[in-house]
Amino acid sequence: MVKLMHNSTAVLHTRPSVLLFVADDQPPNALGIYGGANVTPNIDRIGKSGAIFANAFCTTSLCSPSRASILTGLYAHNHNIRYLANDSTTYDQEQLPSFAADFERAGYATAFYGKYHLHGRFGSKLWTPPRGFSNFGIYRNAGKYFGTTLYTQHSFDNGLKAPTKEHETATLATAASTFIRQVPKNRSLLLVVQFLSAHHPHFYPQTAQVVDAPHEPDLLPIENGIPSGMAITKLNCNYAACNIGNKRSLQKQCGLVKDLASRLMSDIRTVSTMIDDAVGIILGEMTEREDSPIVVYTSDQGVFTGQHGWKDKRLAMEESTRIPLLISAPNWFQGGGVHLKDTVKTVDIAPTLLSLADIAPERPFDGLSVTRIDKSWDQRLYYRFWSENDASRPSHWSMRTPRHKVVFYDGMWPECNGSSKGCVELFHVHEGSAETENVAKKFPHVAVSHLLEAAVLAKSLGDNVVTLSQDQWLSVVG
């Protein structure tokens, strides 16, 4: 049982309650509303009653930095969580409180349950509660799919262990529902639920109905592309559906690479049904207290499911950076089912939630509320990834426009052929096109124009990237 921590600054229920659901490594097409298998009715209902964002992206495709961007509204170079959280990269909560602090200041009852992944190593001085949440149950590191432990405001040292066979989505549904029931109905609440699902290894109960749906990604390497990415053939027996009850290699059991890709997508969609069940339980609990809460559903990042022959994420490619984003809010897009094609980012989520709740933030954000979308909205995406000495996922930065994407890779990596200058990719990304060919050498002046623009954009956002002249960039492009 999760006990509620009461806040003495409680105010009467004058603002809508807010629910934010964050999945893990979930591509949009895992959801029915984005054209996937029709197995996520509860999640789909959020978009059907509000807005569906067709071009939502993360700004760093890695769990800790992306989750920090969601909570702070800041790019990773500004909140300074650039790698997976550990003792040396712990979230500086005193200097950068999450948007929850603004909700708490406004009198909301606040709660966070699930995968936080922004704390220091367990038992160290940096093992600290999530700031801005009076009520919480966080995982140690990423958590576990079964029998996970919630470290709460009442049991932060020892935690509360879930039943051994209970799936993490059920654990979070129970914790969140308990919190909702304990908050007085005349008080607004903020509830953030961040799942481990649908991150690999995609474990789900053997009783779950496996979702098989068509999935035929282009498995060919990018023509003239930089040799990088984590090969899908490196999938192993940690992945669930191919190896339940045995220790055999997934590749041997599933056969060809195309079968690996189909099985991987099947696993993700199956685990997504578990998320959907949890979302349905939590939303059902909310109907007992409030008619029209603000509800947002998203993922921290996307994931490769065989495209270009890859698994995992991290790279600036579409599959790695695209995320689902559904928003339902009172008096906003009444009638629902509104499809928006504007480019929105994880850094826009925090300011959006505060704007929809009519709460003024105490500090500026890098992102903007999507309620401000108009003809002047910046449709560019700035992306940055810092590698941890992994040549398959090198450091790089990128700018995506509605028509092109330019990517610049650090020159110290083998895929740049030992060049200290680095290397460049340019892709057409307008509607209907896929990133199958690097056209930087075909259109060097287009690539250079975008690199110059990207450097200016990075500087305007407070990032420090290499700045070269036009001729120097042309030399890098080759």
Side-chain angles (χ1 to χ4, degrees), residues 164-425:
T164 302
K165 294 184 179 181
E166 183 174 86
H167 196 266
E168 65 109 17
T169 52
T171 301
L172 297 185
T174 298
S177 297
T178 300
F179 166 73
I180 292 169
R181 288 193 295 269
Q182 291 180 344
V183 176
K185 290 187 177 181
N186 66 345
R187 186 178 180 192
S188 301
L189 62 85
L190 166 69
L191 172 62
V192 178
V193 180
Q194 294 197 161
F195 299 97
L196 164 62
S197 306
H199 195 289
H200 72 80
H202 312 124
F203 288 135
Y204 44 81
Q206 293 192 29
T207 55
Q209 183 172 352
V210 175
V211 179
D212 287 318
H215 179 63
E216 297 181 359
D218 189 340
L219 298 164
L220 296 176
I222 296 172
E223 186 177 348
N224 300 316
I226 309 306
S228 59
M230 180 64 72
I232 192 171
T233 52
K234 292 187 178 181
L235 285 174
N236 55 47
C237 62
N238 286 330
Y239 284 75
C242 274
N243 65 293
I244 290 175
N246 65 69
K247 296 292 185 181
R248 287 182 293 170
S249 157
L250 182 147
Q251 187 178 4
K252 288 181 180 178
Q253 184 172 352
C254 287
L256 301 175
V257 171
K258 66 178 182 179
D259 297 317
L260 287 174
S262 293
R263 179 57 70 181
L264 178 56
M265 193 69 222
S266 172
D267 284 354
I268 291 172
R269 284 173 170 157
T270 303
V271 173
S272 293
T273 68
M274 310 296 294
I275 302 174
D276 189 73
D277 289 343
V279 169
I281 291 170
I282 296 167
L283 292 180
E285 197 68 49
M286 281 298 297
T287 61
E288 299 295 320
R289 57 170 286 129
E290 192 169 338
D291 290 335
S292 301
I294 297 165
V295 184
V296 176
Y297 184 92
T298 190
S299 178
D300 53 1
Q301 59 257 336
V303 71
F304 294 108
T305 54
Q307 297 85 1
H308 317 302
W310 296 338
K311 71 179 185 74
D312 199 59
K313 61 249 184 187
R314 289 171 168 85
L315 301 180
M317 303 296 101
E318 296 288 285
E319 296 82 10
S320 171
T321 57
R322 278 189 177 273
I323 57 174
L325 180 61
L326 309 172
I327 300 179
S328 176
N331 303 318
W332 195 58
F333 291 126
Q334 290 185 341
V338 177
H339 291 260
L340 295 177
K341 293 185 178 181
D342 299 273
T343 299
V344 294
K345 306 169 285 293
T346 42
V347 295
D348 297 327
I349 292 174
T352 295
L353 292 176
L354 290 167
S355 174
L356 291 172
D358 195 26
I359 297 173
E362 285 193 325
R363 60 181 178 81
F365 297 107
D366 289 335
L368 297 172
S369 170
V370 299
T371 60
R372 297 174 57 180
I373 289 177
D374 58 18
K375 292 182 179 179
S376 66
W377 184 264
D378 192 344
Q379 303 292 347
R380 298 173 300 178
L381 167 70
Y382 178 66
Y383 179 88
R384 186 92 191 259
F385 175 76
W386 294 264
S387 182
E388 294 182 286
N389 297 316
D390 181 354
S392 69
R393 282 80 59 92
S395 296
H396 58 284
W397 49 268
S398 168
M399 183 187 72
R400 183 192 191 277
T401 73
R403 291 192 60 83
H404 295 100
K405 178 186 294 178
V406 67
V407 187
F408 178 68
Y409 293 88
D410 187 307
M412 300 307 292
W413 292 94
E415 57 272 12
C416 290
N417 299 317
S419 169
S420 61
K421 299 183 206 177
C423 42
V424 175
E425 288 180 324

Side-chain angles (χ1 to χ4, degrees), residues 19-34:
L19 284 75
L20 170 61
F21 299 102
V22 182
D24 198 328
D25 286 12
Q26 187 182 57
N29 65 350
L31 306 179
I33 202 165
Y34 282 96

